């Protein structure tokens, strides 16, 4: 069964967040159970593309409103990944040194058209076209409506919503850029008098998935304006929990960490990684080390961090380390906290894949007080490295973390306020002091299986249910 994943991100090529991790792992697990899955993504001018050499497999010109645009389809000369990736190269438009910017309408629209033009002329017709997030969510519309792609109309489409906050809105003035269709169906593109790619995808895809069952339910109440659409389309919507790539995220083999460890060697292994972090960031290694890794945005509760951390560092004997970037005022406030809490608090404002691995490995607790968390991968990575998650109870966090007071292994809080975050951190500090229980718990969480195996099967069953 040939499956085409079309996405703006894919690890290890281009990563901004969890979308990359998912698209960089799911195809590999699908191929292990008999699919032929591959990825189509933009060719950006970034480290990965600069360091590798590519060959051209296709060249054509696409129609973009009144203009025509040249594009190439490239692949790696030598691919060491467990699945193929085809890169859509549109010189001058897609090949920037970033993935996203303020105005990406033309970039991702041209990307989607090029991807479909290429698929149209291939010898093999894919069994399923699987789109991810709003950057590729116009594909189900184009396939079902644009005259150009009439011969592909019977290919089932799946749209996975990784994050419904972002919808890719653009003005109806640009409608002519979409390959010609029967204009009486323009309503399929519209939501609240604007073109809304995510809404169009939800309307036109054969199936819509979200990345956890709880998030699917939450979207009916909070979907950044799309609640009624989600309710109306609920019969074709399903929540499938993400997995993690347990090869990349494996404390026994991870080459980014200071010392590898298993459940048998967890004590020494975590200590070596914690000591390295405490040394590098001037933190007290005798205190429980709590870390946050992620985008500093409202969805992650980041606006509450300065106040919550101030409270937590005053009330509890902890060390705290932050890795992330995002809202500039939050970044500034997190920098300022370094002064009063020297020796127990530090922050690295930026993106650092290697450091993140060391933090999952060396921390005692991982903080995730998200307001919205469609799935969340960090909490699953932390479990694999014996790091106890301290999380809010939303979306995928609700589906993967159970509180220690409810027979579980993590620390959960209902409210998302600075006081509640500080309280949860205090509970973590108390739990840490109970050495015996703490040690047993972290050995136990390393064995929780969140690998992709089960979810890859669920996707396969979903694909099989789609009849032409
Ligand atoms: P989201 O996609 O909403 O950002 P996820 O939990 O699904 O959240 O995935 C985030 C991914 O990005 C994880 O792999 C996490 O380790 C990584 N990540 C986030 N911020 C950073 C950062 N500043 N440096 C390194 N890795 C980061
Ligand atoms: C999004 C969500 C995150 C999810 C990731 C991968 O970025 O914010 O919760 O884990 O996609 O599906």
């Amino acid at each position: 069964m040939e499956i085409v994943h079309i996405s703006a991100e894919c690890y290890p090529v281009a990563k901004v967040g969890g979308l990359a991790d998912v698209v960089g792992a799911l195809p590999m697990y699908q191929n292990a159970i008999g699919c032929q899955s591959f990825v189509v993504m933009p060719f950006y001018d970034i480290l990965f593309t600069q360091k590798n050499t590519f060959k051209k497999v296709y060249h054509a010109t696409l129609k973009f409103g009144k203009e025509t645009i040249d594009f190439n389809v490239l692949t790696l000369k030598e691919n060491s990944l467990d699945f193929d990736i085809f890169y859509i190269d549109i010189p001058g438009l897609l090949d920037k040194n970033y993935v996203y910017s303020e105005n990406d309408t033309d970039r991702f629209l041209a990307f989607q058209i090029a991807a479909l033009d290429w698929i149209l002329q291939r010898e093999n017709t894919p069994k399923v076209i699987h789109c991810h997030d709003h950057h590729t969510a116009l594909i189900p519309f184009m396939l079902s409506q644009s005259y150009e792609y009439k011969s592909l109309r019977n290919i089932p489409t799946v749209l996975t919503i990784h994050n419904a906050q972002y919808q890719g809105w653009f003005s109806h003035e640009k409608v002519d850029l979409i390959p010609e269709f029967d204009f009486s169906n323009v309503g399929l593109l519209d939501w609240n008098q604007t073109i809304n790619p995510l809404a169009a995808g939800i309307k036109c895809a054969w199936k819509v998935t979200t990345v956890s069952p709880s998030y699917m339910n939450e979207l009916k109440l909070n979907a950044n304006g799309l609640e009624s659409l989600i309710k109306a389309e609920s019969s074709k919507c399903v929540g499938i929990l993400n997995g993690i790539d347990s090869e990349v995220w494996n404390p026994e083999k991870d080459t980014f960490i200071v010392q590898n460890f298993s459940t048998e060697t967890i004590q020494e292994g975590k200590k070596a990684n914690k000591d390295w972090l405490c040394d590098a960031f001037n933190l007290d290694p005798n205190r429980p080390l709590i870390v946050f890794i992620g985008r500093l945005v409202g969805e992650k509760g980041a606006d509450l961090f300065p106040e919550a951390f101030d409270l937590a560092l005053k009330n509890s004997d902890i060390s705290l380390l932050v890795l992330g970037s995002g809202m500039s005022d939050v970044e500034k406030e997190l920098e300022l906290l370094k002064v009063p809490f020297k020796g127990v608090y530090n922050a690295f404002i930026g993106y650092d894949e290697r450091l993140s691995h060391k933090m999952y490995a060396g921390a005692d607790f991982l903080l995730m007080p998200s307001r919205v968390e469609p799935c969340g991968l960090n909490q699953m990575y932390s479990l694999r490295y014996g790091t106890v998650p301290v999380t809010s109870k939303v979306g995928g966090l609700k589906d993967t973390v159970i509180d220690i007071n409810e027979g579980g292994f993590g620390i959960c809080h209902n409210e998302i306020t600075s006081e509640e975050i500080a309280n949860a951190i205090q509970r973590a500090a108390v739990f840490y002091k109970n050495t015996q229980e703490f040690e047993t718990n972290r050995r136990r969480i390393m064995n929780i299986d969140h690998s992709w195996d089960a979810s890859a099967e669920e996707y396969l069953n979903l694909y099989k249910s789609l009849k032409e």
Side-chain angles (χ1 to χ4, degrees):
M1 179 185 270
E2 192 182 69
I3 314 296
V4 189
H5 289 274
I6 310 187
S7 170
E9 297 179 41
C10 177
Y11 182 83
V13 182
K15 171 168 168 178
V16 175
L19 169 63
D21 290 3
V22 171
V23 178
L26 178 58
M28 178 173 93
Y29 284 80
Q30 291 182 327
N31 288 347
I33 53 172
C35 300
Q36 287 86 48
S37 290
F38 62 90
V39 172
V40 178
M41 68 178 296
F43 184 85
Y44 305 109
D45 184 10
I46 50 174
L47 202 64
F48 184 93
T49 51
Q50 288 156 7
K51 275 173 41 186
N52 287 281
T53 41
F54 295 83
K55 61 177 185 237
K56 198 185 287 185
V57 293
Y58 183 64
H59 171 85
T61 301
L62 65 88
K63 227 174 130 286
F64 202 54
K66 291 194 173 65
E67 280 177 59
T68 52
I69 298 179
D70 274 359
F71 73 95
N72 306 306
V73 181
L74 312 175
T75 54
L76 275 177
K77 272 198 173 146
E78 280 166 39
N79 184 16
S80 56
L81 301 173
D82 292 308
F83 56 94
D84 287 327
I85 305 183
F86 293 90
Y87 302 81
I88 303 289
D89 172 35
I90 310 184
L93 194 61
L94 272 180
D95 57 348
K96 307 290 181 192
N97 61 359
Y98 49 77
V99 176
Y100 305 122
S101 68
E102 287 295 303
N103 189 355
D104 284 331
T105 301
D106 288 9
R107 294 175 77 217
F108 290 118
L109 200 44
F111 165 62
Q112 295 174 83
I113 296 169
L116 289 186
D117 283 2
W118 174 64
I119 289 170
L120 188 63
Q121 58 74 51
R122 282 176 77 239
E123 251 171 51
N124 284 355
T125 310
K127 266 277 169 273
V128 175
I129 295 185
H130 191 150
C131 307
H132 297 266
D133 272 352
H134 73 83
H135 328 99
T136 60
L138 285 174
I139 285 177
F141 173 86
M142 293 191 220
L143 280 179
S144 64
Q145 303 299 322
S146 294
Y147 303 126
E148 182 81 17
Y149 307 122
K150 206 165 173 205
S151 61
L152 302 177
R153 203 157 279 180
N154 289 332
I155 303 176
T157 48
V158 175
L159 169 68
T160 294
I161 305 175
H162 295 261
N163 196 331
Q165 293 301 110
Y166 310 102
Q167 299 171 7
W169 314 265
F170 62 91
S171 153
H172 276 282
E173 282 167 20
K174 283 190 178 256
V175 74
D176 290 344
L177 298 180
I178 298 173
E180 202 182 342
F181 58 94
D182 177 353
F183 208 72
S184 63
N185 292 333
V186 71
L188 288 169
L189 290 170
D190 183 86
W191 195 255
N192 284 340
Q193 279 88 56
T194 179
I195 294 185
N196 183 321
L198 192 70
I202 295 169
K203 292 179 203 175
C204 299
W206 292 34
K207 285 278 180 191
V208 175
T209 71
T210 58
V211 287
S212 72
S214 286
Y215 186 56
M216 187 81 256
N217 292 331
E218 288 168 9
L219 282 182
K220 291 176 192 151
L221 305 170
N222 176 14
N224 203 6
L226 300 183
E227 300 78 10
S228 60
L229 177 61
I230 298 276
K231 275 191 220 152
E233 298 286 0
S234 63
S235 62
K236 67 175 184 191
C237 296
V238 56
I240 300 179
L241 191 69
N242 283 336
I244 62 170
D245 185 335
S246 42
E247 285 304 302
V248 171
W249 300 94
N250 180 356
E252 291 188 53
K253 293 188 189 153
D254 192 330
T255 52
F256 291 162
I257 67 178
V258 174
Q259 188 173 314
N260 292 112
F261 59 92
S262 63
T263 43
E264 274 89 61
T265 54
I266 181 170
Q267 196 91 347
E268 313 87 88
K270 284 195 74 76
K271 184 175 180 319
N273 285 288
K274 181 175 177 179
D275 284 348
W276 184 93
L277 286 173
C278 290
D279 199 36
F281 290 97
N282 184 32
L283 296 168
D284 183 349
N286 298 313
R287 292 170 163 222
L289 176 60
I290 297 166
V291 301
F292 172 84
I293 301 164
R295 296 179 294 122
L296 296 173
V297 296
E299 286 170 56
K300 304 282 177 192
D303 48 304
L304 303 172
F305 289 180
E307 198 184 328
F309 293 171
D310 183 74
L311 274 174
L313 287 157
K314 280 179 182 148
N315 295 343
S316 316
D317 292 336
I318 52 156
S319 287
L320 222 161
L321 179 61
V322 175
L323 166 62
S325 62
M327 293 185 285
S328 57
D329 50 336
V330 174
E331 288 183 356
K332 271 186 212 127
E333 287 188 69
L334 290 178
E335 288 283 9
L336 289 176
L337 278 184
K338 289 179 183 175
V339 181
F341 297 110
K342 192 166 179 241
V344 289
Y345 166 83
N346 214 332
F348 180 94
I349 303 299
Y351 189 94
D352 189 330
E353 190 76 23
R354 285 169 181 266
L355 177 59
S356 77
H357 282 242
K358 291 189 182 75
M359 288 170 69
Y360 290 116
D364 297 302
F365 297 93
L366 175 102
L367 187 67
M368 266 183 108
S370 309
R371 290 192 178 93
V372 179
E373 197 59 80
C375 178
L377 300 170
N378 300 18
Q379 79 280 14
M380 297 196 267
Y381 297 149
S382 84
L383 291 170
R384 183 119 168 96
Y385 287 77
T387 298
V388 180
V390 179
T391 70
S392 57
K393 281 189 179 170
V394 298
L397 298 173
K398 201 159 137 189
D399 295 342
T400 51
V401 184
I402 306 168
D403 194 278
I404 42 173
N405 288 344
E406 289 163 17
F409 46 82
I411 291 175
C412 305
H413 56 100
N414 283 313
E415 302 292 316
I416 298 142
T417 60
S418 24
E419 289 78 15
E420 279 302 299
I421 297 171
N423 283 342
I425 293 178
Q426 194 163 21
R427 281 187 64 204
V430 172
F431 184 43
Y432 181 78
K433 281 197 186 138
N434 192 344
T435 320
Q436 185 79 44
E437 209 186 319
F438 180 75
E439 293 298 339
T440 311
N441 186 61
R442 65 178 181 184
R443 202 162 286 125
R444 172 178 159 213
I445 59 180
M446 279 184 76
N447 286 326
I448 299 175
D449 182 9
H450 276 301
S451 80
W452 268 106
D453 297 324
S455 304
E457 285 286 350
E458 271 191 73
Y459 275 113
L460 183 58
N461 291 336
L462 181 89
Y463 299 153
K464 283 181 182 162
S465 74
L466 299 168
K467 294 272 174 316
E468 286 179 18

